[in-house]
Amino acid sequence: MDEQRLKQRAVAEAADAPRILVVDDEPVIREVLSDLLTSEGYSVHNAENGAMALEELMRAPYNLVLTDLKMPVMGGEELLARLAENNIKKIVIVLTAFATVETAIQTMKNGAYDYVMKPFKIDEITLIVRRALEKDRLERENIQLKEAQRLYEISEAMSSTLSLDRLLGIIIQSAKRESEADVVSLVLRDREDEKWYSKICDTDIPDLSSDEIDEFLDLGAMGEVHASGTSILLPPGSPEPYVCGRLNAGRKLHSLVSVPLAIRGQVTGMLNVLSFNQRRIFLEGDRRTLYILASRAANAIENARLHEELKAVFLQTIEGFAYAIDAKDPYTHGHSRRVTHY
């Protein structure tokens, strides 16, 4: 039976099936639900209580959560509350053996999609799960459409200017609006000394400069990760590997996303968003959106740089012509330079 369940799970995960997290302190209930939902073609994972479920939901994406109401350490009600606090939007179905009208109403107020009484019927569970996953699918499609629209608008704004300073401002403002981060910094690599530095930084934290952010983050280590084409997404408790300094007032970094800016496989910068608020935790959707934004921003920045370099070459050429003209006529020598100055 175990081999069959493992085989079904492997097939479900390989087929990119909906991911369901079953949360219950009773091993028998977890096993029954896992067998049932795996046989329906879903990818099913388990947690023994709400605390373990919360940690798992911060670590990996799930389409649906089935949770018991009464559990040790953390029950279903507290799990719903913690999900709301951390802005983790999941469709949750509550399982309970103590269902009353008041319980049902309170559960729905706390954010649950539906509830099921124990002992549950197989047909009832499968029907509710299918209905909940259909709702999740429609919501994700709606979110994807909105993301596509926003990214299109951002792309249009970036393509409307060749001014590097204005372009960087658009990128930073867009990243901050999309991520709702406390700090956003666009980091570039100096071509001469090969060091990373914040070209532009936007922060909601008073008296926090881009230099402090550069000293706070281990930009070198982050750059090495990006060199392999990998983004960084760190939930609470994990940012320490990329933190090498301390900020004033004892501020603690709770979540971090860093995505590379790359041109033809060469990493030229990174876009970093930081949260010092434990209620704002970045998830995979945030990383994906910022990655798309950064990939388009990298091309726009390269075009702006080329434009500025071409403009500088034109100016140098004109200056060269002016010097050549002056050199041929000592009487009017310096006239062109004086006209340029005026």
Side-chain angles (χ1 to χ4, degrees), residues 51-218:
M52 294 177 64
L54 184 62
E55 183 178 345
E56 177 66 15
L57 290 169
M58 288 181 173
R59 187 189 66 82
Y62 283 89
N63 303 92
L64 178 64
V65 179
L66 277 80
T67 179
D68 190 16
L69 199 60
K70 303 295 182 181
M71 293 179 290
V73 183
M74 182 187 294
E77 290 184 7
E78 186 177 353
L79 174 60
L80 285 167
R82 294 292 296 277
L83 290 176
E85 287 177 5
N86 289 284
N87 197 31
I88 301 176
K89 298 177 181 179
K90 299 292 177 185
I91 295 183
V92 180
I93 297 174
V94 171
L95 307 173
T96 178
F98 309 98
T100 63
V101 174
E102 290 78 11
T103 303
I105 292 174
Q106 189 58 46
T107 298
M108 306 297 271
K109 283 183 178 180
N110 291 340
Y113 168 74
D114 207 339
Y115 74 98
V116 179
M117 288 185 60
K118 295 181 181 178
F120 49 79
K121 298 178 181 179
I122 292 178
D123 292 343
E124 182 183 14
I125 285 287
T126 55
L127 179 62
I128 292 176
V129 166
R130 287 173 188 167
R131 193 168 60 212
L133 288 174
E134 177 64 15
K135 181 177 186 293
D136 174 72
R137 183 186 67 81
L138 293 173
E139 288 182 349
R140 284 188 291 109
E141 286 183 356
N142 188 39
I143 291 173
Q144 289 171 358
L145 287 172
K146 290 181 179 178
E147 286 180 352
Q149 176 65 25
R150 290 199 301 269
L151 289 171
Y152 172 77
E153 293 172 354
I154 292 170
S155 297
E156 287 292 297
M158 287 192 292
S159 63
S160 67
T161 180
L162 286 172
S163 167
L164 183 58
D165 290 338
R166 184 181 174 191
L167 175 62
L168 295 176
I170 292 173
I171 295 169
I172 283 288
Q173 292 168 11
S174 301
K176 198 166 190 301
R177 184 173 61 250
E178 293 298 318
S179 64
E180 299 179 352
D182 295 314
V183 177
V184 178
S185 68
L186 195 151
V187 178
L188 298 179
R189 187 175 180 84
D190 191 290
R191 296 177 179 179
E192 295 182 359
D193 58 17
E194 296 187 350
K195 291 183 179 180
W196 299 96
Y197 68 98
S198 290
K199 177 67 176 179
I200 183 171
C201 182
D202 189 340
T203 174
D204 291 336
I205 300 177
D207 304 324
L208 182 62
S209 66
S210 59
D211 290 339
E212 287 181 278
I213 292 295
D214 288 353
E215 294 175 0
F216 175 66
L217 295 176
D218 191 343

